Amino acid sequence: MIEVIRGDITTLEVDALVNAANAALRGGGGVDGAIHRAAGPQLMAELMRYAGCRIGEAVITGGYELPARYVIHAVGPVWRGGEAGEAELLEEAYASAFRLAREQAGIRTVAFPAISTGVFGYPKRPAAEIAIRQMRTYERDFERIVACLFDDESATIYRELVGHRGGA
């Protein structure tokens, strides 16, 4: 089941939440910064074991002070006009996150933000189409998949694509 909500991903009680990370894995703004602040300093300490993460890939860490047991840090592409393989890289970022979630014992519920649509500048509707397509591909592997959007525009787009109308 794919659920669309507008809210703060750091408050969700799910097994894993996905972070829209940067390739350095050292925190940042937007969702990434919010997750780092809510998880506490242990998250950064664990991420220091990594030299970084390639665009289109993901790594998994503990959730620390978050309600989620795990954080999957997926690195989406920066929008460069659509001719630099951005769609394929964004699709692979979602797929990598789903594969890590599926491989980790006990992850049955997972929440995603709109990867790459903030400071990375990916247009919201095309990014949402990729996200929903990937969610549908992996839907049978999980009890619950949440698209947690920070703004009304993104939530509306996702609801239209999933077929939901109205509140949540």
Side-chain angles (χ1 to χ4, degrees), residues 38 63 68 106 129 142 153 162:
E129 290 168 354
F142 299 92
E153 179 186 4
V162 172

Side-chain angles (χ1 to χ4, degrees), residues 5 18 25 29 34-35 45 49 97 101 115 121 129 139 156 164:
I5 63 171
V18 176
L25 297 177
I35 288 171
R49 297 185 323 194
I115 297 171
E129 290 168 354
E139 188 172 18
T156 298
H164 293 152

Side-chain angles (χ1 to χ4, degrees), residues 87-98:
E88 294 82 6
L89 290 167
L90 184 58
E91 195 155 334
E92 190 53 35
Y94 278 95
S96 294
F98 273 117

Side-chain angles (χ1 to χ4, degrees), residues 5-145:
I5 63 171
R6 185 190 173 291
D8 179 353
I9 198 168
T10 67
T11 65
L12 297 182
E13 293 185 18
V14 292
D15 297 324
L17 59 84
V18 176
N19 180 17
N22 60 55
L25 297 177
R26 298 297 180 258
V31 171
D32 194 16
I35 288 171
H36 276 264
R37 285 188 299 277
Q42 305 96 320
L43 178 61
M44 182 59 75
E46 183 174 351
L47 284 170
M48 292 303 289
R49 297 185 323 194
Y50 297 95
C53 184
R54 291 173 38 181
I55 298 167
E57 295 181 3
V59 300
I60 189 167
T61 65
Y64 300 101
E65 295 177 32
L66 291 161
R69 290 183 298 153
Y70 301 99
V71 178
I72 300 171
H73 307 266
V75 181
V78 172
W79 180 254
R80 302 198 187 290
E83 301 300 320
E86 296 98 316
E88 294 82 6
L89 290 167
L90 184 58
E91 195 155 334
E92 190 53 35
Y94 278 95
S96 294
F98 273 117
R99 286 192 300 269
L100 280 176
R102 191 171 57 194
E103 292 166 6
Q104 181 67 46
I107 295 180
R108 302 300 305 145
T109 59
V110 61
F112 284 82
I115 297 171
S116 286
T117 63
V119 68
F120 284 11
Y122 207 110
K124 291 179 181 182
R125 182 167 291 276
E129 290 168 354
I130 290 168
I132 297 300
R133 185 166 51 250
Q134 285 298 307
M135 289 174 185
R136 287 187 174 134
T137 297
Y138 290 91
E139 188 172 18
R140 290 180 296 277
D141 297 333
F142 299 92
E143 292 172 8
R144 179 177 175 222
I145 297 171

